[in-house]
Amino acid sequence: MREVVHGWFMAHEGWLLIVDNADDEAALRPSGILFKALPPPNAPGHVLITSRVGTEAFGSLEIAAPLTLGLLDISAAEKLLVRAAKALDDAGASSHLHSLSSVEQEAVAWLVGDVGLARLPLALVQSGSAIREDGLTFDGYRQKFERRNVELFGMSTTGTRREEQSVHTTWDISIDALGKREPAAVELLGLCSMIAPDDIPLAMFTSIGPQTAGSAACPALCELMGTAADDDDKHDRLKKLLRAARSYSLIDGSSSESIVTMSMHRLVQDVQRRQLAREPATWEDNVRLVARLLGSAMPKVGDAATFEEAQAVGPLLTHVHSLLEGATLSTREMPTGLVPAKLLDDAADAHRRRGEYEMERELQEALLREMRAEKGEEHPHTLAAMHDLANSLSNTCLLYTSPS
């Protein structure tokens, strides 16, 4: 497959390949997956890579001088914070900044400084949204930020992780504020944090109800959806929650041909996961609930499926793999009993139909673990899972050592 893709890149000119969030240093090394996947250096096109790792990691990719993006200058950072907080343009933000009291101006300067939001555009916009939505003063938000930052990270407010701490703190404040206004919206964000950050179908959550497995983790959301009159009412209620979350810049939404999808920033997902991970039982209920929702949304893609049908299921397959990766919590392997065997089986079939045998193998291995734990070693379903895994391994031509 790699040779076919590389052949296309060599045979066509003027293309642009964007690799976003290449933050795994191991993937950038000569033996890494990204290094092997990128087109040959002499291919007649361009590759744009974004990453948060150090510039020295790009030496193996023959990128001699990576472009390092700096922070905003103080004046631009202050203006951006005021713009977001007061919904103003540049000129209006400048005028408003000069009209503030000395206490407010000092608060703005502190917030954009190194011990506050560190001039990070992402944190500045997020904080401005929270100030606007909650009707806070800049000094009021500064005090809230200081308290929350100490609660989350102690007195360690400097160092290489300072920028990440700033963003984490701002989103933690916003999630807490949203929870007081719309508890069901925060629960929806929690479910979205368990899967891939992009192309999250809003319709996937219409099947939520009080009797849904794992509903104990999301009581407000399950009650809200369980009392809806019909599917249209469910969609309207979900859209209202989406609007509430968007007002705090916690999630984004888009629509195409009546299909509404959501996307979350990866750091928002991280904030939510950390909160959920404080209670392992709640974490597992969220995994169980998301798995049921994915199972309801996943169509059966068998041998008779058309190419278009097989391609359409791609985003859902990405969510299945993200759920499995996140469901490990602090263990090396996903606990059994959380993800239905039918979801794993249907997703594996879809990968096989799409010719993605390596991805199929991963799901077949997870399915075999489930069957062994639920049915035992000699059960026909377990033996069938072994047979399917053997076929998958044959397709990928891999040597395999059976998991214990």
Side-chain angles (χ1 to χ4, degrees):
M1 178 65 75
R2 182 165 64 240
E3 288 76 9
V4 172
V5 174
H6 284 183
W8 186 95
F9 283 123
M10 293 298 294
H12 295 78
E13 297 181 357
W15 46 263
L16 172 64
L17 174 63
I18 300 176
V19 183
D20 195 20
N21 293 302
D23 299 330
D24 184 357
E25 287 192 49
L28 300 172
R29 297 171 186 154
S31 60
I33 186 172
L34 180 58
F35 183 90
K36 295 178 180 178
L38 289 176
N42 61 336
H46 300 277
V47 179
L48 174 64
I49 302 175
T50 68
S51 176
R52 291 185 293 175
V53 302
T55 55
E56 65 278 359
F58 288 89
S60 60
L61 299 179
E62 299 184 16
I63 301 176
L67 175 64
T68 301
L69 299 180
L71 300 173
L72 293 175
D73 62 47
I74 293 177
S75 176
E78 290 181 342
K79 192 181 300 183
L80 178 58
L81 177 62
V82 174
R83 281 188 59 175
K86 303 301 178 181
L88 299 170
D89 58 15
D90 275 349
S94 295
S95 176
H96 186 83
L97 185 59
H98 289 103
S99 70
L100 292 174
S101 67
S102 59
V103 172
E104 284 289 87
Q105 288 185 6
E106 289 175 6
V108 170
W110 186 94
L111 283 169
V112 305
D114 292 339
V115 294
L117 305 174
R119 293 178 285 156
L120 293 169
L122 192 63
L124 293 166
V125 172
Q126 177 62 49
S127 298
S129 297
I131 291 170
R132 183 184 67 249
E133 287 299 316
D134 295 336
L136 298 172
T137 63
F138 291 106
D139 188 56
Y141 187 82
R142 169 193 172 169
Q143 296 177 38
K144 180 175 287 192
F145 182 94
E146 285 186 285
R147 289 194 300 269
R148 186 61 56 87
N149 191 260
V150 171
E151 290 172 6
L152 293 172
F153 304 106
M155 299 306 294
S156 176
T157 56
T158 59
T160 57
R161 295 179 60 83
R162 182 68 190 93
E163 296 176 358
E164 181 180 332
Q165 291 178 7
S166 296
V167 177
H168 187 106
T169 302
T170 60
W171 266 320
D172 195 84
I173 292 172
S174 295
I175 289 171
D176 184 61
L178 177 62
K180 295 175 181 177
R181 173 178 159 186
E182 285 282 7
V186 172
E187 292 174 355
L188 178 62
L189 290 179
L191 297 178
C192 291
S193 74
M194 311 297 292
I195 52 182
D198 299 314
D199 292 322
I200 304 171
L202 190 68
M204 188 178 87
F205 301 95
T206 57
S207 60
I208 290 180
Q211 305 305 316
T212 307
S215 61
C218 303
L221 180 59
C222 290
E223 181 180 359
L224 178 69
M225 300 303 291
T227 57
D230 51 32
D231 286 346
D232 288 340
D233 190 17
K234 289 182 177 181
H235 276 280
D236 289 341
R237 295 185 181 202
L238 287 170
K239 289 178 181 178
K240 180 183 177 182
L241 299 181
L242 175 58
R243 287 194 295 272
R246 288 182 70 177
S247 68
Y248 285 90
S249 300
L250 292 167
I251 201 167
D252 201 3
S254 61
S255 59
S256 176
E257 297 180 358
S258 301
I259 299 175
V260 179
T261 59
M262 300 176 288
S263 61
M264 289 180 72
H265 195 283
R266 290 165 179 80
L267 290 178
V268 179
Q269 288 190 315
D270 183 59
V271 172
Q272 284 291 80
R273 288 183 186 131
R274 291 191 189 194
Q275 291 184 355
L276 293 174
R278 296 168 188 166
E279 297 290 339
T282 302
W283 176 279
E284 291 191 359
D285 277 337
N286 272 269
V287 173
R288 193 174 286 111
L289 178 53
V290 172
R292 265 55 181 190
L293 296 176
L294 284 171
S296 298
M298 179 72 66
K300 184 68 176 177
V301 182
D303 293 335
T306 65
F307 176 80
E308 289 74 16
E309 290 171 336
Q311 292 302 110
V313 78
L316 287 176
L317 295 176
T318 302
H319 293 315
V320 173
H321 285 275
S322 294
L323 178 65
L324 295 179
E325 292 170 5
T328 57
L329 193 54
S330 59
T331 61
R332 294 178 62 88
E333 199 170 80
M334 183 193 70
T336 58
L338 300 182
V339 179
K342 185 179 185 303
L343 172 60
L344 297 172
D345 192 34
D346 288 346
D349 283 347
H351 276 307
R352 179 175 52 79
R353 182 67 181 90
R354 291 160 57 93
E356 298 165 340
Y357 300 121
E358 180 67 22
M359 307 298 282
E360 178 199 6
R361 179 187 63 82
E362 292 181 14
L363 297 183
Q364 293 290 5
E365 289 178 344
L367 177 60
L368 180 55
R369 287 194 298 270
E370 291 291 332
M371 290 295 95
R372 281 173 165 163
E374 179 184 347
K375 304 292 186 180
E377 196 73 30
E378 303 299 327
H379 193 278
H381 290 176
T382 305
L383 298 176
M386 291 181 183
H387 177 267
D388 290 341
L389 176 56
N391 285 336
S392 177
L393 291 168
S394 177
N395 287 330
T396 52
C397 300
L398 292 176
L399 294 176
Y400 177 69
T401 302
S402 177
S404 57

